[in-house]
Structures are given as structure tokens and as C-alpha cells.
Amino acid sequence: MAEELPAVSDSAAVAAGPEAEPEEPIKQRKNGLYPGVSDELAENMTSGWADTELRDLKPVEQAEHTARRRAELSARFPGERLVIPAGRLKVRSNDTEYPYRASVEYAYLTGDQTEDGVLVLEPVADGHRATIHLLPRSDRENGEFWLSGQGELWVGRRHSLAEAGQRYGIPAADVRELPERLREAAGPVRVVRGHDAEVEAALTDKVTAERDEELRVFLSEARLVKDDFEVGELQKAVDSTVRGFEDVVKVLDRAEATSERYVEGTFFLRARVEGNDVGYGTIAAAGPHACTLHWVRNDGPVRSGDLLLLDAGVETHSLYTADVTRTLPVNGTYSEIQKKVYDAVYESQEAGLAAVRPGAKYRDFHDAAQRVLAEKLVEWGLVEGPVERVLELGLQRRWTLHGTGHMLGMDVHDCAAARTETYVDGTLEPGMVLTVEPGLYFQADDLTVPEEYRGIGVRIEDDVLVTEDGNRNLSAALPRRSDEVEAWMASLKS
């Protein structure tokens, strides 16, 4: 990584011209090696560059869908200015940033993923006029393109405003002028909070938390039912995830020689080659770590004879993520007790999957899966029955711990801001995508169960589309039944 930015001098700003001069001086790194920029170098850097403007660009694939989504948003909030920021870079350490990911609300409505972007819907007589506010290119007349840490020669070319307008089907404007415009705006305004402090500061006397929350809730509920583009992206994410699981099985011997990090790294390679990233921190939990629901340290040993709980998902370039879990025997064969627990979770998941259909209550698949697990726990003598008592008191939760699934989409736990009555207490509709993921977890220090159970954690998770006549398991390409898992693993290692 390059170690410093050059300093900017007054002469560089002059060379760039008065219109291009930055509002604030470009900061020099304290211990930078160059003390300044000579007039000659500043002048030299303004010339000799080819025209790289891209013309006749095609709209992004989801442009027609984002236009429809904006129209639905417009209809919900007539006469109000709506402000949806993409968010800004976040510092990881000193002058390095975390990989950028645009806010879900912004990407859902625009298809763009540019940092600092802001979508504004201005009320007009027949609805709203949408404008996407972005940073323009750091053109070659402006010293910023090579002097700023976010300049083009440091982090890469960004689209011009004209190019962005073609790609997203929305007129584009300079985002640097937006805060002042927002401060001067009149009439009712709503903003999606938590992504851009400067935008929120410009609107501080114009918005209320209650009204802004209504906007956030609407945009969350709008994603409950996926359109064809979204379903296709989720299937792409799942298909890549299946290949990532295959990659892991093929190198389990190397994971045994190193740690869970080898599993994590192997899956990450697939995610970065075929997608944007992983959709969430990979859970590569071997042995008793499988009993920690969100084990993302991934620094433990992978041992023959133990189980590996791998919960991972590839995120597509359009930011839709898979979320799949398989619990695999590291040596390729389940022990008797591992199989007993695994098969119980499989039977529970089968009951949950059977309950996913249009018109069913969202809670139905959870209740069906939990009943099977409660029955198994009573049958094994681990909790006193009858089953109805166990379920009424929630006694099975000592070992099942979590809910049996959640909505899936651009967030791994999608639509989280939706009202309870439309989500958890709602009804399943065609186009909804959710996970079905029961589990049993016997902690290593749980003295209420026989020793042979302790340290065993099993979860099986699939991504399921609600269809007109039932459901479709998007991740069905990954075996689930214990004997099929063993045969699949053997075929990959042969």
C-alpha cells in the first residue's frame, strides 16, 4: 500500500482553477515525504490526459425495478421531500477504511452503490421528481484527482454525473451542493437516518424521529415480497454458496492442519471471485464451537471425529445474500450420537419446510419445527413432558436457542424494521424468501444432559422461496439428509 499522499500547495489550487478549487485544503499526511507541489508540477498534472468519458451506457439490470420501487414510495408519501442517503466510508484504522457497502434503502431504490450518494425525491404536482446526488469525477483540471486520498489515481475512477444518469435512469447532480439545498428546503421532509451525518445535520430542524421511522418501516416492508430480479439474484447467491461449500469439503484435510480460519478463507475466496463479498461474517464452527450461535472468531482447531457447522453466504454484486448452514462430519462420517442429533434436526427442518406455503402464518414453520425438537427432547429423557407443556413453557429453548428462520434479501436478516403485524405475525405470500434453520445445541458444560451429547451443535439451514402453490428450496442442491451428506462428501474427496 502506498505510504503517503503528496502535499497540496496554493499553487496547485491555482493551477486547478477557481471553479475546481476544493472548499477545504487537501490534507497532507503528517509524515509525508513531499513537502509541497511546485507550480510546474501542478501545471503539468492538468494536461496530457485522454478523454475517458463513457457514452451510450446501458441502464443497470434492475433499473426498471428501481423505477417501480420509487413510484411506490412516491405514492405512499405524496407532497413530501424524501431523502435516502447511501452512507459514507467508515474508518477502520487511522487513514484506512472498511470496504464500502451502500445502505440497503439507497441501493434498493437506485441500483447504485457509490459512497456519499443521496437519492432525493422532490414533490411535484403528479408525484415526485427523483435526483441522484453523487460526487462528480475528479477531473484532470482539479488537483483532487491525484492529491486527495479519495482521488481517482488513489482509489479508481468514479462515474461522471452524465454516466450515472444513463446507468441508473435518474438525473444526477453534484452531491457537494446538496446540504445547502436541504437547509433551504421548505415543506415536509423525511430522511432515512443513520447513514449520513452531514445530510441529517442539514435537515435537523425539518424532520422528526417518528416521521423518519415511518419511512424506514415502509422501505423495509416493501422488500418483504421479492420481484423476479431479486429472486434471480438470490438464486445466484445460493448457487455460488453451494460451490463454496463444495470448496470447503475438498480442503478439510488442510483445515485440520491449520484451523477454522482455513474454512473461512476458502469460502471467502469463492465469495470474492463470484460475488461482491460474503453477506455476513462466516461461521466456521468446529467441535463445541458449533454451540456458539454466531461463532465468527474462527480460530479453533478442526479435528477428525468432530462436526463442522458452516453457516455462510455469498453476496452478489447487487448485494443480495444467501444464508445456508450445513453441519458436516470432519472425517466424512457421523458418529452414532452425532447422527442421532443430526437426524432429529433434519426431521425438524422437514416439518418446517412443509409448513412454508402461501396463506400460512409466518409463525407456522417455526412452530412445526420446534414441536419436532421438543418431541425428541422428551423422547430422549432430556426434558420432562408432555410436549405441550414443554412448548407452552418454552423449555426446549435451552437447547434450540433461536427462532427457526428469518426473511432474506439484501440484508441477511432482511426487512428487520417491518411492523410485527406484517412480519412475524403476518401471512406468507408468493415472492417472500426466508430461511428455515432449526438447530440443537448441547453446550460442553451442560450437566443436565448425558456426557455423550455435550459439545454437539447441529444446524441445518436452507433458503426458501414461497411460490404460488407451496415453496421452492433455493439451496436444494446441497444435500441435507445424513446419508446423502456422507455420500456427497465422499464424492468430493475421491
Side-chain angles (χ1 to χ4, degrees), residues 428-443:
L428 295 179
E429 301 177 39
M432 289 182 171
V433 179
L434 60 144
T435 67
V436 179
E437 51 174 310
L440 279 175
Y441 312 91
F442 298 103
Q443 306 301 323

Side-chain angles (χ1 to χ4, degrees), residues 286-302:
H289 288 163
C291 299
T292 301
L293 296 184
H294 287 172
W295 177 261
V296 293
R297 299 178 202 172
N298 299 336
D299 58 1
V302 178

